[in-house]
Amino acid sequence: MKYNTVIAKDDNISIIHASELIKVGEVVGMPTETVYGLAADAVNEEAVKKIFEAKGRPQDNPLICHICNMGMLEKYTSFIPDLAYKLAEAFWPGPLTMILPKNDLIPLSTSGGLDTVGIRFPAHRSAQKLIELSGTPLAAPSANLSGSPSPTTAKHVYDDMNGRIPYIIDGGDSEVGVESTVISFENNSVRILRPGFISAEDLLDITENVIIDNGIMHSISETDKVRSPGMKYKHYSPKADVTIVDGNLIDFIKYVQENKTENTYSMIFNSDKENFPYKALVYGDTSEEQAALIFKNLREFDELGADRVFVRSPEKDGVGLAVYNRLLRAAAFKVIKL
Ligand code: TXA
Ligand code: MG
C-alpha cells in the first residue's frame, strides 16, 4: 500500500488541499455528477502515468480532460466546429464529452496516443472548483479499478483505490450514475460513441444528424473499426454471471425459477417488487432512476456473493440506451428473449 487513503468531506478546505496534491502531480478521487473520477493534471505526464497505474488501465485507452470554462476548451484543442459550440451552449456544464483534435499541450500519454482529446465541462460544483484551483485541465477516468463497475459514492472509490491514491473528496451520491455521453464530429454529424444522460433525442434537438455508433449495441470484433478504444474492453463486470432477460414479469419469474441457483439474484423494477418471490435488488422504474442505481447494484451483487444475476431489460430509448449499453457490457452481451 503506497498511500494512506483519506476520504475528506466536500468543503473548501478539502478542495484546496486536493488542488495542492494535483499541483504536485498526485491523483485525487473527484466527485462529478456522472460518476467519481480519478483526477490528475492532464498536462503532467508523470501524474497521468499514476492514473493508469492506480486503475490498472491499458495505456492505449485515452483519458477525458475536464475543464471549467470555455477558454480552456480553446486552449487545448486545435479545431472546434460550430456545432461543438452549439452543443456546449445547450449541454455544458453537464454530462457530455466531445472528442476534438488536440494540440501539443495535451501529451500523447493523456490521449492514449491519439491526435484527439475528449473534453468535458462537468456540472458538479466541487469538480469545477477543483479544476479552477488546480489551474489546469484534469484528466479523469472513472475511479474504479479497470473492469469494475464505475463508482457512484466515495465509499466505492475507497473500496477500489484504498492505498492507491492519497485523497478522495466525498461529494455524495453521483446524481446521474452513468458516465457522460461521448460524441465525435464527422462532417456535419455527431456520432455517439458512448450513450449517457444526454440522450440521442436531446442531441437531435440541436442537430438533425445524429449517428449511434454500432459498438453501443453490439460487441466489437477484431476487424471492426474501433472509434473509441474504451469500447473494446470488457467493462463493469461483477463476479456474477449476468444475463439480461427480456420479457414480461410473469415470464421473467418463470425463467428465474427454472434457472436459479442458491445464490442467484435478480435486478427488477420497483413496480415488480410486490409480486417477485425471489432474492432481488430493485433498480427503479424510470430510465433516470435506473441509471442512478445500476452501478451501485452491480457492486452490491458482489458483496452479496451472487453467482448469477438476471436483469429485467430496460427501455432502449432516451437515458435507457445508456442503461442498456452498460448492462450489455456487464452481461458480456448475453440477452435472453422470452
Ligand atoms: O462521466 C464521465 O465521462 C466520467 C467522469 C469521471 O467524468 N469519466 C469517464 O472516463 O467515464 P473513462 O476514462 O472511464 O471513459 C472515457 C471513455 C473511454 O471509453 C475512452 O475510450 C473514451 O471515453 N475516449 C476518451 N478520449 C477519447 C478519444 N480521444 N477518442 C475516442 N474515445 C475517447
Ligand atoms: Mg470508465
Side-chain angles (χ1 to χ4, degrees):
M1 298 248 280
K2 205 168 156 200
Y3 297 98
N4 185 9
T5 306
V6 171
I7 302 184
K9 75 169 192 281
D10 185 2
D11 60 18
N12 279 336
I13 292 173
S14 305
I15 296 173
I16 291 168
H17 183 65
S19 72
E20 275 156 7
L21 287 168
I22 300 254
K23 284 179 200 162
V24 297
E26 292 294 343
V27 177
V28 165
M30 169 177 77
T32 85
E33 74 277 22
T34 54
V35 301
Y36 277 72
L38 278 183
D41 183 351
V43 302
N44 176 341
E45 295 201 54
E46 283 304 308
V48 166
K49 208 170 125 200
K50 287 184 190 167
I51 296 179
F52 284 97
E53 280 168 10
K55 257 187 93 82
R57 180 175 180 127
Q59 301 277 343
D60 70 340
N61 198 356
L63 304 176
I64 293 174
C65 295
H66 296 69
I67 61 169
C68 64
N69 59 55
M70 292 299 282
M72 288 174 98
L73 171 69
E74 282 154 12
K75 183 167 174 191
Y76 295 97
T77 55
S78 61
F79 175 69
I80 306 171
D82 287 342
L83 183 52
Y85 281 106
K86 279 195 202 150
L87 294 171
E89 174 86 29
F91 302 116
W92 276 0
L96 179 70
T97 298
M98 300 200 244
I99 309 290
L100 294 166
K102 75 174 196 70
N103 64 25
D104 290 344
L105 292 176
I106 300 288
L108 285 168
S109 47
T110 301
S111 69
L114 301 174
D115 54 10
T116 54
V117 61
I119 307 268
R120 173 158 118 78
F121 184 162
H124 198 292
R125 289 290 300 141
S126 307
Q128 291 176 0
K129 264 193 246 165
L130 182 59
I131 301 162
E132 197 181 318
L133 289 177
S134 302
T136 182
L138 297 183
S142 50
N144 51 285
L145 286 171
S146 204
S148 295
S150 292
T152 57
T153 67
K155 162 91 171 36
H156 293 162
V157 180
Y158 186 85
D159 290 345
D160 280 18
M161 292 297 148
N162 183 19
R164 294 172 171 262
I165 60 173
Y167 207 65
I168 301 165
I169 295 173
D170 184 353
D173 289 9
S174 304
E175 228 178 295
V176 171
V178 291
E179 309 88 338
S180 60
T181 307
V182 177
I183 58 166
S184 62
F185 295 91
E186 280 172 23
N187 307 317
N188 258 332
S189 318
V190 164
R191 177 182 288 271
I192 303 180
L193 300 176
R194 180 176 73 182
F197 191 78
I198 306 294
S199 63
E201 291 82 347
D202 292 335
L203 295 169
L204 280 167
D205 285 342
I206 310 296
T207 170
E208 56 191 16
N209 303 314
V210 177
I211 303 162
I212 296 182
D213 196 87
N214 249 330
I216 288 175
M217 297 291 263
H218 306 281
S219 70
I220 302 274
S221 76
E222 297 278 315
T223 51
D224 286 338
K225 178 168 180 193
V226 177
R227 290 192 170 82
S228 180
M231 295 199 292
K232 64 181 187 215
Y233 296 109
K234 198 177 171 213
H235 251 107
Y236 317 124
S237 6
K239 294 185 189 93
D241 190 38
V242 178
T243 308
I244 301 172
V245 182
D246 194 352
N248 65 39
L249 180 60
I250 293 172
D251 294 341
F252 183 87
I253 291 174
K254 215 185 304 157
Y255 184 85
V256 174
Q257 184 181 31
E258 283 162 8
N259 292 280
K260 72 179 170 51
T261 63
E262 187 74 5
N263 291 316
T264 292
Y265 285 79
S266 296
M267 193 151 92
I268 58 173
F269 307 136
N270 279 0
S271 51
D272 298 339
K273 209 178 155 190
E274 260 175 71
N275 303 307
F276 194 75
Y278 306 116
K279 291 188 276 197
L281 296 178
V282 293
Y283 81 132
D285 284 312
T286 66
S287 297
E288 287 77 9
E289 289 167 353
Q290 290 167 359
L293 287 170
I294 169 180
F295 287 136
K296 194 168 185 231
N297 284 353
L298 289 178
R299 280 178 181 260
E300 204 169 327
F301 289 128
D302 278 351
E303 280 168 23
L304 291 165
D307 59 357
R308 287 183 194 169
V309 172
F310 298 122
V311 184
R312 288 274 267 141
S313 188
E315 300 291 328
K316 298 178 190 72
D317 57 355
V319 182
L321 185 64
V323 176
Y324 191 67
N325 167 265
R326 303 315 188 269
L327 280 172
L328 273 177
R329 277 158 178 78
F333 293 89
K334 264 201 311 301
V335 183
I336 304 280
K337 285 207 193 296
L338 298 178

